[in-house]
Amino acid sequence: MASISTRIGNFTLENPVILASGILDETSGSILRSLKSGAGAAVTKSIGTEERRGYQTPVISEISTGLLNAVGLSNPGIDNFVEEYKGFPEKKRTIVSIFGGNTEEFVALAKRVEGAKFDKVELNLSCPHVRGVGSEVGQDLDMVEEIIAEIKGGTNLQVWAKLTPNVTDVVALAKAAEKADAYVLINTVRAIGVEIYSRKFALANIVGGYSGPGIKPVALRAVYDVYKETRKDIVGVGGITTWEDAIEFFLLGAKAVQVGTALLYEDYPIYSRINLGIANYLESEKFAKLGDIVGVMV
Amino acid sequence: MASISTRIGNFTLENPVILASGILDETSGSILRSLKSGAGAAVTKSIGTEERRGYQTPVISEISTGLLNAVGLSNPGIDNFVEEYKGFPEKKRTIVSIFGGNTEEFVALAKRVEGAKFDKVELNLSCPHVRGVGSEVGQDLDMVEEIIAEIKGGTNLQVWAKLTPNVTDVVALAKAAEKADAYVLINTVRAIGVEIYSRKFALANIVGGYSGPGIKPVALRAVYDVYKETRKDIVGVGGITTWEDAIEFFLLGAKAVQVGTALLYEDYPIYSRINLGIANYLESEKFAKLGDIVGVMV
Amino acid sequence: MEHSRVIDMVKENKDVFTLKFDSTLTARPGQFLMIWVPGGREIPMSLSNLSSPPSITFRTFGETTKTLSQLKIGDRFYFRGPYGNSYPVPSGKVAYVAGGTGLASLNSMILTYSGDVFVGARTKEDLFLLGDGYHIATDDGSLGFKGTVIDMFAPHVNEYDYVFVCGPEPMVKALLDRVKGNARSKIYISLERLMKCGVGICDSCSINGFRVCKDGTIFSMEEVLRMTEFGVYKRTESGKIEFFTNGKR
Amino acid sequence: MEHSRVIDMVKENKDVFTLKFDSTLTARPGQFLMIWVPGGREIPMSLSNLSSPPSITFRTFGETTKTLSQLKIGDRFYFRGPYGNSYPVPSGKVAYVAGGTGLASLNSMILTYSGDVFVGARTKEDLFLLGDGYHIATDDGSLGFKGTVIDMFAPHVNEYDYVFVCGPEPMVKALLDRVKGNARSKIYISLERLMKCGVGICDSCSINGFRVCKDGTIFSMEEVLRMTEFGVYKRTESGKIEFFTNGKR
Ligand SMILES: Cc1cc2nc3c(=O)[nH]c(=O)nc-3n(C[C@H](O)[C@H](O)[C@H](O)COP(=O)(O)OP(=O)(O)OC[C@H]3O[C@@H](n4cnc5c(N)ncnc54)[C@H](O)[C@@H]3O)c2cc1C
Ligand SMILES: Cc1cc2nc3c(=O)[nH]c(=O)nc-3n(C[C@H](O)[C@H](O)[C@H](O)COP(=O)(O)OP(=O)(O)OC[C@H]3O[C@@H](n4cnc5c(N)ncnc54)[C@H](O)[C@@H]3O)c2cc1C
Ligand SMILES: Cc1cc2nc3c(=O)[nH]c(=O)nc-3n(C[C@H](O)[C@H](O)[C@H](O)COP(=O)(O)O)c2cc1C
Ligand SMILES: Cc1cc2nc3c(=O)[nH]c(=O)nc-3n(C[C@H](O)[C@H](O)[C@H](O)COP(=O)(O)O)c2cc1C
Ligand code: FES
Ligand code: FES
């Protein structure tokens, strides 16, 4: 059997399929369920400094090509998070996603994560911040660079930088984030949904994040562009639903993938389905291991 | 019957459904066919200074959520274009799309278009240019502003500025283009397609433009953002396939819509289908005319 | 999101309403909808009647249910679903145990499979959707048994082959604590938790990794007994743990 | 994009090949595929045999067809389609008129509905897929009638109820000029134009607003006669008009 294990930095994963942040990972019980169902690793819902209720419902809207969501970064805050995960048995396979409005918040959160005995963080660089109205932290190249430098300097955490696709130049963004151990590409695409009879927005927050099959071509482009330019470790995410989708990301340079919205269509069996499909593909295409197809098209 | 006529600047259209640039509009015969099939107006394929063969095939790739294309701006060049359209009977309902790599090219093309007795141009601001490698003319705010100012100053053409969604801030782009008579939102989204058995790109040019249902939520967001900020005339485009899709764009501020990829699914009957659907919706929702729903949600 | 029209609005008691709407949806007993009041929130609601026409029955707790109750005949009604699993098909002797609006969820079962119905409420005025021969319990004794529906029902649990339960989590917890897994009857419980998505991806309704909206809402007693969080704490909208006030398990 | 494997490659003559591939596609006579050689171009090709196994028959014009001809048994074969309409079902006396690789497109019809086959080529060496009793014309007279297939066939057109034609545009034009719409037979013509998309959206194959790939490839003679551009000019890859060298219509 061809090996499907993979490595992100010095982190070895038994298989390359990871639960994406924000989907079925608000509770530690669900994280464990994904890990038991065959996920190679799992990312928590993004955690901030303070408790947040998030936006009022509707927070999701299913459309023919995927999903719109504006959950609004609801999270219990870092204190409650640390409390809940005190005896958590799978800290090595769990990457803690954090978000903040400025460098100080990110750094403080990262230190708390390390203090709670996790060793990996994913930086959700797609939340609104104050410097530029309407812009995201992750669109501010200087801030991205600073956040990563300070976390790398101030902790021993492995740092994954999750980049937003809502920019003119994702490669420039990646370069600003190059001190990270890995890139996670991509977060949701900004979008809107409309209900024509009520003439109201499909999401309470009006603007939401677009995920699922409809954004896969955009995610592939981001992975390709960034891999070609940087050759760094990349975790591909965006619309991955089948093992064929996962292969596409590997061929363009991703060493692992995350699945989010696809859980809506495939539910927990998705991990073993994708893993089996990857193994069969490697077998039948005569590759000995996953690493042999990573980036071969670039 | 509720009226579905609309106005873009001083141009009155019998109905608001327009053929988008690049789909079934390389030949004057096909433009006439769309107009006869019920399109309110039609935009030509983008015309440049010189003849271009475009990229080699494959130039399109159908995916589950839409279409990827990299036709490569194949066009006969302005001289041959003007020659072909000499006796063309529908110049008022035909908007000539032009593209160039710099201001001079755009202005020269616009003058030729006016000389050929057309009175409207659509500026395709999404082609690669030289100043910034890998960037598009339409991402360079100064150039966009200059191109439009010079065409407005040097001709009597009605100018439609077709904006790219491949930017961090489409509102800033719209503001740079504010001397235009109308915005056309959006052009295709940059994307990639992969074939996993040959391990080759689905398009000869590797990177292509993504269109069809999968980009509709992105287009709606762009229309909403720009309308909210500018209140100018907007032509919505991106994934419109059904009359319901068209209504969504009107509610967010579009005064007309363009259809491209949907011709693949619905073919020429699309114009009358969408027009009928809009009229029925206005009737049953008790609006006297299309204008009554334009922008009501914003 | 689907939309239909309100066909009828029946006021069941001082704050409970049944809203019938025009739809050809097909659902199984125990399934729920996500109901949307445009401009307002989207909330989960059990179908109290499955078809011709379907209906929901709700108590006006807060803003959204209040707005719902003010809809007029002919007004538009928005929903998605039906979601969730359904009650299994019973055999033998059947009991239904409902607390609060839990009766709404059980109602479509009761209409399909006959059985003894045990209903609890705070007072007489809080009752609704009652049928002939229902066993009533009120906290204040204003009608029927004085005490909780669990106090009334628990002694009889072993008389039944199938028991279907729906009500507030502390009520269900009280039943489980009494039965302690030793009942000879098959007990199925429809749970209620805060729900944001309704389709099993947001995790806001999860108890020990079981999603109430997708793995449930209906669980066997054995499953519920494995949920160490059940009856102990729930989650707020932020995902924060909040203990039930009646103490730890 | 589908993919299958090459089952067989038959060399029909010095530069014509038939490639059989493993696929369960279902197509009607006259339909075509867009064939892709990964890393190379995608080109339109008629199905010369519809199934068990399907095949294409092509002349090695340039790079893509040459690469195709070099595929080995077991190699992967990529395509999308089938696209285009198909030849109508004939009745009475049937004639097939083929020029160049046009015989590939007609072949599946010929196999299904018997009729008289008229084939033209430059020389004897250019012929392929021949069957018993085919009427052959060669420009150089190296086999059969000396002259074009139109010269050979035109005098007989009114002997047929149905005539199916496929060949280079100037050849078809020559036939139409001779018949001038006065034939008693129903004449259907499969056209060939540069094709980029194959699915009716790029406009590169259009003649007076008729898309060869989607409205065709098969048109009735009456339709073709309404195409004022037909036989007069075609389009290059840029969309530029290029007149046929044998003059204006
Ligand atoms: C699967 C399911 C089925 C339900 N079926 C019914 C039913 O048939 N009839 C009925 O009357 N009620 C039912 N409920 C409860 C109903 O959803 C809440 O009463 C409703 O959301 C209250 O909204 P509100 O704005 O009127 O009140 P609010 O002011 O928002 O809150 C009042 C109470 O409702 C709770 N609540 C608020 N939002 C939610 C939510 N998204 N999910 C769960 N609880 C919430 C709050 O915790 C509070 O206790 C059901 C709940 C679930 C999970
Ligand atoms: C509907 C249709 C069905 C066809 N069926 C067959 C068939 O069954 N057998 C066969 O041998 N040929 C067929 N052809 C023609 C075939 O597509 C071309 O011969 C092929 O594209 C040449 O590719 P090349 O790279 O080998 O040659 P090139 O060097 O590219 O060109 C050689 C010749 O082919 C023409 N050509 C190039 N590209 C195209 C294109 N995309 N569409 C049309 N013509 C083109 C050129 O104008 C030139 O005359 C068909 C064409 C069409 C439109
Ligand atoms: C409901 C929902 C909530 C999400 N919440 C977060 C989040 O908190 N932090 C984050 O970095 N990404 C979040 N995302 C983005 C996903 O992690 C992922 O990047 C995106 O959905 C694309 O992947 P997909 O198409 O597989 O879902 C969320 C996505 C969804 C659908
Ligand atoms: C095959 C194809 C070719 C296109 N060519 C052009 C073009 O030449 N100029 C232009 O401005 N837009 C071009 N576009 C973009 C469309 O005009 C339109 O903006 C985009 O496809 C989104 O609309 P749709 O989803 O309705 O297709 C092209 C799109 C497609 C699919
Ligand atoms: S409500 Fe979202 S997972 Fe149950
Ligand atoms: S080949 Fe594109 S329209 Fe015919």
Side-chain angles (χ1 to χ4, degrees):
Chain A
M1 200 65 177
S3 159
I4 60 168
S5 91
T6 191
R7 268 174 90 84
I8 301 292
N10 60 7
F11 172 37
T12 302
L13 291 87
E14 234 175 72
N15 76 64
V17 187
I18 303 171
L19 174 66
S21 179
I23 296 94
L24 286 177
D25 53 5
E26 183 174 291
T27 67
S28 49
S30 292
I31 299 244
L32 287 176
R33 183 168 175 189
S34 271
L35 291 172
K36 280 183 191 141
S37 303
V43 184
T44 69
K45 193 157 194 191
S46 296
I47 306 296
T49 326
E50 302 295 333
E51 179 182 357
R52 276 175 64 96
R53 300 161 51 102
Y55 301 127
Q56 71 163 52
T57 55
V59 295
I60 64 146
S61 170
E62 272 187 76
I63 58 174
S64 64
T65 57
L67 186 74
L68 306 177
N69 93 78
V71 173
L73 291 168
S74 61
N75 81 95
I78 188 71
D79 291 341
N80 292 310
F81 174 82
V82 168
E83 176 67 24
E84 175 170 354
Y85 282 79
K86 254 180 186 153
F88 188 72
E90 286 278 14
K91 291 190 179 175
K92 295 281 169 237
R93 291 209 285 161
T94 302
I95 299 96
V96 182
S97 172
I98 57 175
F99 74 92
N102 54 50
T103 307
E104 295 64 42
E105 280 184 23
F106 268 103
V107 174
L109 285 164
K111 290 189 169 157
R112 294 293 306 279
V113 168
E114 188 173 37
K117 307 269 188 292
F118 290 93
D119 60 2
K120 289 174 278 294
V121 275
E122 182 177 287
L123 311 180
N124 176 353
L125 297 163
S126 309
C127 45
H129 80 123
V130 278
R131 279 202 216 162
V133 176
S135 83
E136 297 171 3
V137 170
Q139 293 169 347
D140 183 332
L141 302 193
D142 293 338
M143 194 186 288
V144 164
E145 191 171 343
E146 187 181 88
I147 290 167
I148 295 171
E150 299 223 353
I151 295 178
K152 286 305 291 180
T155 72
N156 290 311
L157 294 167
Q158 182 177 107
V159 176
W160 297 11
K162 184 166 181 184
L163 306 182
T164 174
N166 302 306
V167 293
T168 308
D169 185 358
V170 73
V171 172
L173 185 53
K175 284 186 175 157
E178 73 179 349
K179 287 216 179 76
D181 299 283
Y183 299 126
V184 181
L185 291 163
I186 58 175
N187 213 313
T188 52
V189 175
R190 270 192 296 153
I192 276 185
V194 171
E195 204 292 314
I196 65 168
Y197 291 100
S198 58
R199 293 180 277 284
K200 299 284 180 205
F201 296 94
L203 298 172
N205 186 54
I206 301 182
V207 175
Y210 178 20
S211 62
I215 70 166
K216 191 186 73 175
V218 178
L220 288 171
R221 203 261 305 162
V223 169
Y224 171 78
D225 283 352
V226 171
Y227 185 70
K228 194 164 68 129
E229 201 64 26
T230 69
R231 301 278 159 177
K232 281 186 56 131
D233 287 359
I234 292 176
V235 179
V237 51
I240 296 166
T241 311
T242 64
W243 65 265
E244 288 95 335
D245 296 334
I247 299 288
E248 292 174 12
F249 281 84
F250 298 136
L251 293 172
L252 297 187
K255 293 183 78 176
V257 294
Q258 293 180 357
V259 292
T261 304
L263 279 149
L264 177 61
Y265 315 123
E266 302 284 318
D267 217 343
Y268 285 105
I270 192 169
Y271 305 111
S272 36
R273 268 180 214 152
I274 294 184
N275 282 329
L276 184 66
I278 296 169
N280 286 341
Y281 174 88
L282 293 174
E283 267 322 268
S284 70
E285 298 292 302
K286 314 224 183 321
F287 293 101
K289 56 182 196 301
L290 180 56
D292 294 349
I293 65 168
V294 170
V296 290
M297 282 177 59
V298 185
Chain B
M1 201 65 178
S3 160
I4 60 168
S5 92
T6 192
R7 267 173 90 83
I8 301 292
N10 60 8
F11 172 38
T12 303
L13 291 86
E14 235 175 70
N15 75 65
V17 187
I18 302 171
L19 174 65
S21 179
I23 296 94
L24 286 177
D25 53 6
E26 183 174 293
T27 67
S28 49
S30 292
I31 300 243
L32 287 176
R33 184 168 174 188
S34 271
L35 292 172
K36 281 184 190 140
S37 303
V43 185
T44 68
K45 193 156 195 190
S46 296
I47 305 296
T49 325
E50 301 295 334
E51 179 181 357
R52 274 176 65 96
R53 301 162 51 103
Y55 302 127
Q56 71 164 52
T57 55
V59 296
I60 65 148
S61 169
E62 272 187 75
I63 58 173
S64 64
T65 57
L67 186 73
L68 306 177
N69 92 79
V71 173
L73 292 168
S74 61
N75 80 96
I78 188 71
D79 290 341
N80 291 311
F81 174 83
V82 168
E83 177 66 25
E84 176 170 354
Y85 282 78
K86 253 179 186 155
F88 188 71
E90 286 277 14
K91 291 189 178 175
K92 296 280 168 237
R93 289 210 285 161
T94 302
I95 299 95
V96 182
S97 172
I98 57 175
F99 74 94
N102 55 48
T103 308
E104 295 63 44
E105 279 183 23
F106 268 103
V107 174
L109 285 163
K111 290 190 169 155
R112 295 292 305 279
V113 168
E114 189 173 36
K117 306 268 187 293
F118 290 92
D119 60 2
K120 289 174 278 292
V121 275
E122 181 176 286
L123 309 181
N124 176 354
L125 296 164
S126 309
C127 44
H129 80 122
V130 278
R131 278 202 217 163
V133 176
S135 82
E136 298 171 2
V137 169
Q139 294 171 347
D140 183 332
L141 303 193
D142 293 338
M143 194 187 288
V144 164
E145 191 171 342
E146 186 180 271
I147 289 167
I148 295 171
E150 299 222 354
I151 295 179
K152 286 305 291 180
T155 71
N156 290 312
L157 294 167
Q158 182 178 106
V159 176
W160 297 11
K162 184 166 182 183
L163 305 182
T164 175
N166 302 306
V167 292
T168 308
D169 186 357
V170 72
V171 172
L173 185 54
K175 284 186 175 159
E178 72 179 349
K179 288 216 179 77
D181 298 284
Y183 299 126
V184 181
L185 292 163
I186 59 174
N187 213 314
T188 53
V189 175
R190 269 192 298 153
I192 275 185
V194 171
E195 203 292 315
I196 65 169
Y197 291 100
S198 58
R199 293 180 276 282
K200 300 283 180 204
F201 296 94
L203 299 172
N205 186 54
I206 302 181
V207 175
Y210 179 20
S211 62
I215 69 167
K216 192 186 72 173
V218 178
L220 288 171
R221 202 261 305 162
V223 169
Y224 171 78
D225 284 352
V226 171
Y227 185 70
K228 193 163 70 126
E229 200 65 25
T230 68
R231 301 278 158 177
K232 282 185 53 130
D233 286 0
I234 292 176
V235 179
V237 52
I240 297 166
T241 310
T242 64
W243 64 265
E244 288 94 335
D245 296 333
I247 299 287
E248 293 174 13
F249 281 83
F250 298 137
L251 293 172
L252 298 186
K255 293 183 79 175
V257 293
Q258 293 180 356
V259 292
T261 304
L263 280 148
L264 177 62
Y265 315 122
E266 302 284 317
D267 217 344
Y268 285 105
I270 194 171
Y271 304 111
S272 35
R273 268 181 212 150
I274 294 185
N275 282 328
L276 184 66
I278 297 169
N280 285 343
Y281 174 88
L282 295 174
E283 260 332 83
S284 69
E285 297 293 301
K286 315 225 183 316
F287 292 102
K289 55 181 198 302
L290 180 56
D292 294 349
I293 65 167
V294 170
V296 290
M297 283 176 59
V298 185
Chain C
M1 186 66 58
E2 290 181 58
H3 72 108
S4 69
R5 302 271 181 184
V6 174
I7 291 182
D8 200 7
M9 179 77 74
V10 180
K11 191 166 183 192
E12 305 282 358
N13 72 24
K14 63 178 176 12
D15 56 4
V16 172
F17 296 80
T18 292
L19 184 165
K20 298 183 183 168
F21 56 100
D22 186 20
S23 166
T24 56
L25 66 80
T26 52
R28 286 166 289 129
Q31 286 195 295
F32 69 96
L33 304 178
M34 292 297 291
I35 306 289
W36 184 45
V37 180
R41 292 191 313 145
E42 199 183 30
I43 57 171
M45 276 291 154
S46 302
L47 282 158
S48 56
N49 218 312
L50 300 183
S51 59
S52 36
S55 67
I56 56 170
T57 300
F58 56 93
R59 169 160 286 135
T60 53
F61 270 113
E63 206 180 324
T64 315
T65 42
K66 191 154 170 226
T67 317
L68 262 184
S69 73
Q70 288 160 352
L71 291 180
K72 304 268 161 291
I73 291 170
D75 280 354
R76 284 204 175 102
F77 178 77
Y78 298 80
F79 66 90
R80 53 192 175 92
Y83 296 131
N85 63 1
S86 61
Y87 296 104
V89 174
S91 57
K93 227 178 147 212
V94 178
Y96 298 100
V97 183
T101 57
L103 186 57
S105 161
L106 287 169
N107 196 55
S108 53
M109 272 303 271
I110 295 170
L111 295 174
T112 320
Y113 303 102
S114 59
D116 294 344
V117 183
F118 298 82
V119 178
R122 265 168 300 157
T123 80
K124 189 171 95 174
E125 282 75 45
D126 292 316
L127 292 160
F128 62 93
L129 285 187
L130 295 187
D132 286 350
Y134 281 19
H135 306 275
I136 312 285
T138 51
D139 295 352
D140 63 358
S142 52
L143 192 72
F145 180 91
K146 182 172 191 311
T148 72
V149 66
I150 300 307
D151 294 334
M152 170 173 61
F153 172 72
H156 305 285
V157 57
N158 281 322
E159 297 164 20
Y160 295 94
D161 298 295
Y162 276 81
V163 179
F164 298 106
V165 185
C166 186
E169 194 156 323
M171 167 200 128
V172 177
K173 178 69 168 36
L175 177 65
L176 295 187
D177 285 346
R178 297 274 281 267
V179 173
K180 291 206 197 325
N182 298 323
R184 61 163 278 276
S185 36
K186 293 197 163 59
I187 303 182
Y188 289 91
I189 304 157
S190 179
L191 302 184
E192 265 192 34
R193 279 285 176 116
L194 179 99
M195 287 185 184
K196 290 184 176 179
C197 77
V199 292
I201 62 161
C202 77
D203 212 24
S204 63
C205 68
S206 295
I207 310 179
N208 293 95
F210 290 93
R211 292 158 300 177
V212 173
C213 69
K214 189 155 175 174
D215 303 308
T217 59
I218 295 142
F219 298 93
S220 68
M221 184 180 59
E222 291 67 35
E223 286 173 309
V224 178
L225 286 171
R226 272 188 279 133
M227 299 177 189
T228 58
E229 301 172 8
F230 181 79
V232 179
Y233 60 75
K234 56 183 183 180
R235 304 265 173 176
T236 66
E237 288 187 13
S238 70
K240 183 183 151 185
I241 287 169
E242 191 173 76
F243 287 92
F244 286 103
T245 44
N246 52 352
K248 302 218 171 190
R249 186 160 171 164
Chain D
M1 186 66 57
E2 290 181 59
H3 72 108
S4 70
R5 301 269 181 185
V6 174
I7 291 182
D8 199 8
M9 179 78 74
V10 179
K11 190 165 183 192
E12 305 282 358
N13 71 24
K14 63 179 176 12
D15 56 3
V16 173
F17 298 80
T18 292
L19 183 166
K20 298 182 186 171
F21 57 100
D22 186 19
S23 166
T24 57
L25 67 80
T26 52
R28 286 165 290 129
Q31 287 195 296
F32 69 95
L33 303 179
M34 293 296 291
I35 306 290
W36 185 44
V37 179
R41 291 190 314 145
E42 200 183 30
I43 58 171
M45 276 292 154
S46 302
L47 282 158
S48 57
N49 219 312
L50 299 183
S51 59
S52 36
S55 67
I56 56 170
T57 300
F58 56 93
R59 169 160 285 138
T60 53
F61 270 114
E63 207 180 325
T64 315
T65 43
K66 191 154 170 226
T67 316
L68 262 183
S69 73
Q70 288 159 352
L71 291 180
K72 305 268 161 291
I73 291 171
D75 280 354
R76 284 204 174 102
F77 177 77
Y78 298 81
F79 65 91
R80 54 192 175 92
Y83 295 131
N85 63 2
S86 61
Y87 295 104
V89 173
S91 57
K93 221 175 153 216
V94 178
Y96 297 100
V97 183
T101 56
L103 186 58
S105 161
L106 288 170
N107 196 53
S108 53
M109 272 302 272
I110 294 171
L111 295 174
T112 319
Y113 303 101
S114 60
D116 295 344
V117 183
F118 298 81
V119 177
R122 263 168 300 156
T123 80
K124 191 171 95 171
E125 281 75 46
D126 292 317
L127 292 161
F128 62 94
L129 285 186
L130 293 187
D132 285 351
Y134 282 19
H135 305 276
I136 312 287
T138 50
D139 294 355
D140 63 358
S142 51
L143 192 70
F145 180 92
K146 182 175 195 306
T148 71
V149 65
I150 300 307
D151 292 335
M152 171 172 61
F153 171 72
H156 304 285
V157 57
N158 280 323
E159 298 166 19
Y160 295 95
D161 298 294
Y162 275 83
V163 179
F164 298 107
V165 185
C166 186
E169 195 157 323
M171 168 200 129
V172 176
K173 179 70 167 37
L175 177 65
L176 295 187
D177 285 347
R178 296 275 281 267
V179 173
K180 292 206 199 318
N182 297 324
R184 61 163 279 275
S185 36
K186 292 194 163 62
I187 303 181
Y188 290 92
I189 304 156
S190 179
L191 301 185
E192 265 191 35
R193 278 286 176 115
L194 181 99
M195 286 184 184
K196 291 184 176 179
C197 78
V199 291
I201 61 161
C202 77
D203 213 21
S204 63
C205 68
S206 295
I207 309 178
N208 292 97
F210 290 92
R211 293 158 300 176
V212 172
C213 69
K214 190 155 174 175
D215 302 309
T217 60
I218 294 142
F219 297 93
S220 68
M221 182 179 61
E222 291 67 34
E223 286 173 309
V224 177
L225 286 171
R226 272 188 280 132
M227 299 177 189
T228 58
E229 301 172 8
F230 181 78
V232 180
Y233 60 75
K234 57 184 183 180
R235 304 265 174 178
T236 67
E237 288 187 13
S238 70
K240 182 182 150 183
I241 287 170
E242 190 173 77
F243 287 91
F244 285 104
T245 44
N246 53 351
K248 301 218 174 193
R249 185 163 173 165

